[in-house]
Amino acid sequence: MLRRTYLGLEIRQHELRAVAVQRRGKKIALVGGQVLALPEAVLQPGFKVPNVSQPEQFVAALQRLLEPLAKRDNRIAVSLPDRAGQLFLLELETPFKSRSEGCELLRWHLKDKLPVQSKRMALDFQVLEENESGHKKILAAVIDQDVLSQYESLFAQAGYAATIIDFHSLALYNAYRTKIDLGRDFILIGVDDCQLSILVFVNQILNFCRVKETSREPRKIFQELSRSLVNYRNKQPAFSRMAVYLHSDWQDQDDLFAAVTSAFDQDVQWLVSPVSKLMNGHQLAFTGAEASGMAAALGVAERMIQRVAS
C-alpha cells in the first residue's frame, strides 16, 4: 500500500530541520528526519526585508535535506522563525461577514502597530473565541509580503510547494497538544536555540503570547520570563494555579530547568519530545536534544495531516 509522506520543515538561522511522517490508521508514524547546518551568511530572519541573502545556497540546502525524505511528495509544511513575522492577540467587537472582510478590518486595527504599511502585509487569522454579542478574540499572524514571497519562490526553485507556513511557537504547541493532555489553564515555555516563546492558555484558549530572541544563558531566560510575565501575572488571578510546561532542545537542561522554575511559584514539568515518543524502536535514533529540536517540524507536518483529514 502506497502511503503519502507528509514533510515538515523548520527553518532556523543556522540550520534546517525536517521530518517525514505517514498516517497509519489513526496514528502517525515517523519515517525520516534530518538536520542540515546553514553557513553563517545564508539566512538572517527579520521582519522588514527578504531573509535569504544567498538564495542558491539556500535552495541547494533544501534539496539536500528534503530529497532523501520526500519519496514522491513535493508538498511541505513550513515553520518559520517567529521574528520573520509577528503574532497579535486582538479583541474585536465589529462584526464581519467574510474572511476577506475580516482581514481588512484587522489591517485597520493593526496599522499603528506594524513597522511597515499594512497593505504590504500578508495576513491570516484564527477566531479563538466568540460570545453571543459577536465579540471575538482573534489570533492574527502577519508577515511582510516580500519576505513571504521570497521563501515561497525559493521552495519552488528547490522543487517543493509550501501548503502551510506557520511560526515556530505555534508549530511547537501543535506538536504537543496532540500528544499530551495539557489541561485547561496552562503555560507553555519553549526554549529552542536562542528563541524563547511564552504561550498562556485559559480555558484552552490562547490568552497571552510573547516571543523573544535571547542568548543561551539560563540567567537570561529567567530575566526574560520575569520581565515578560510581570504585568500579566498581576492581572490573571489564576496564574499561580496554572500548570507550567517546559520544552527545550538545549543539551544542558539542569541549569535551564532551575532558571525556569525560579521564575514561577508553581512546579514546572519538563516535556518529553513528541518525536521521541514516535520513534518507539524505529531505526531513527536521535538524542533527546535532537528529538526535541524536531518538535516544530513535526507540529507543522501534523497541521498538514489535519488539513487533509478535515
Side-chain angles (χ1 to χ4, degrees):
M1 176 180 177
L2 295 178
R3 291 187 172 92
R4 176 178 170 182
T5 299
Y6 297 85
L7 300 174
L9 167 69
E10 182 192 359
I11 296 175
R12 299 190 182 188
Q13 181 171 348
H14 301 301
E15 64 186 12
L16 305 174
R17 295 172 176 249
V19 299
V21 295
Q22 293 178 349
R23 295 182 67 178
R24 304 282 174 86
K26 294 183 178 180
K27 296 183 178 181
I28 294 173
L30 179 70
V31 296
Q34 290 205 113
V35 179
L36 183 67
L38 288 175
E40 185 76 25
V42 170
L43 174 68
Q44 179 62 53
F47 191 73
K48 294 184 181 181
V49 295
N51 291 185
V52 181
S53 57
Q54 298 182 18
E56 291 183 1
Q57 288 196 43
F58 184 77
V59 168
L62 285 174
Q63 292 171 333
R64 286 200 304 274
L65 180 79
L66 295 174
E67 282 178 1
L69 305 175
K71 309 302 181 184
R72 297 165 302 279
D73 293 280
N74 70 342
R75 289 166 291 188
I76 58 175
V78 182
S79 165
L80 294 178
D82 280 71
R83 57 183 164 147
Q86 277 187 261
L87 295 172
F88 295 93
L89 281 172
L90 301 167
E91 296 192 6
L92 296 184
E93 297 182 358
T94 307
F96 52 86
K97 298 179 181 179
S98 65
R99 193 160 190 86
S100 60
E101 187 178 331
C103 283
E104 289 308 309
L105 183 61
L106 287 169
R107 288 180 191 278
W108 184 85
H109 276 270
L110 291 171
K111 67 182 189 306
D112 296 327
K113 298 181 180 181
L114 297 172
V116 298
Q117 293 182 353
S118 61
K119 291 182 179 180
R120 283 182 48 195
M121 302 306 302
L123 183 148
D124 197 7
F125 70 92
Q126 177 185 356
V127 178
L128 302 176
E129 187 177 25
E130 182 175 4
N131 61 24
E132 294 179 356
S133 64
H135 181 275
K136 298 180 180 66
K137 179 174 289 186
I138 288 176
L139 174 65
V142 297
I143 186 170
D144 187 291
Q145 186 61 59
D146 291 341
V147 173
L148 179 61
S149 295
Q150 187 198 39
Y151 276 120
E152 291 177 329
S153 173
L154 295 177
F155 298 148
Q157 289 178 45
Y160 298 91
T163 60
I164 289 176
I165 296 180
D166 210 340
F167 292 126
H168 172 92
S169 57
L170 300 180
L172 185 65
Y173 165 64
N174 197 63
Y176 281 106
R177 74 175 182 84
T178 59
K179 308 291 187 305
I180 183 174
D181 181 6
L182 298 167
R184 297 192 63 80
D185 302 335
F186 62 91
I187 304 166
L188 175 61
I189 307 298
V191 185
D192 279 308
D193 194 19
C194 293
Q195 176 171 299
L196 166 66
S197 60
I198 309 166
L199 303 180
V200 183
F201 291 79
V202 177
N203 291 326
Q204 295 184 322
I205 297 170
L206 186 62
N207 192 257
F208 177 90
C209 175
R210 182 74 50 87
V211 181
K212 301 283 289 185
E213 286 297 309
T214 183
S215 63
R216 294 180 67 96
E217 299 178 56
R219 176 177 58 87
K220 292 290 187 182
I221 299 298
F222 169 79
Q223 292 172 348
E224 288 293 351
L225 284 171
S226 300
R227 198 159 34 228
S228 296
L229 289 169
V230 62
N231 291 330
Y232 183 81
R233 187 194 303 261
N234 293 332
K235 294 177 182 178
Q236 179 55 253
F239 188 90
S240 62
R241 298 190 298 274
M242 290 180 173
V244 182
Y245 300 98
L246 172 61
H247 156 94
S248 179
D249 66 354
W250 286 15
Q251 292 280 358
D252 183 6
Q253 298 182 347
D254 292 342
D255 289 344
L256 174 63
F257 185 78
V260 173
T261 301
S262 297
F264 294 93
D265 297 326
Q266 55 267 56
D267 293 335
V268 175
Q269 180 177 332
W270 191 285
L271 290 171
V272 177
S273 170
V275 176
S276 295
K277 295 181 178 181
L278 286 181
M279 284 193 295
N280 193 26
H282 192 275
Q283 62 182 357
L284 294 172
F286 299 124
T287 67
E290 289 171 340
S292 292
M294 296 286 194
L298 175 65
V300 286
E302 289 192 315
R303 271 205 64 200
M304 186 156 54
I305 294 175
Q306 292 155 9
R307 177 175 291 185
V308 170
S310 62

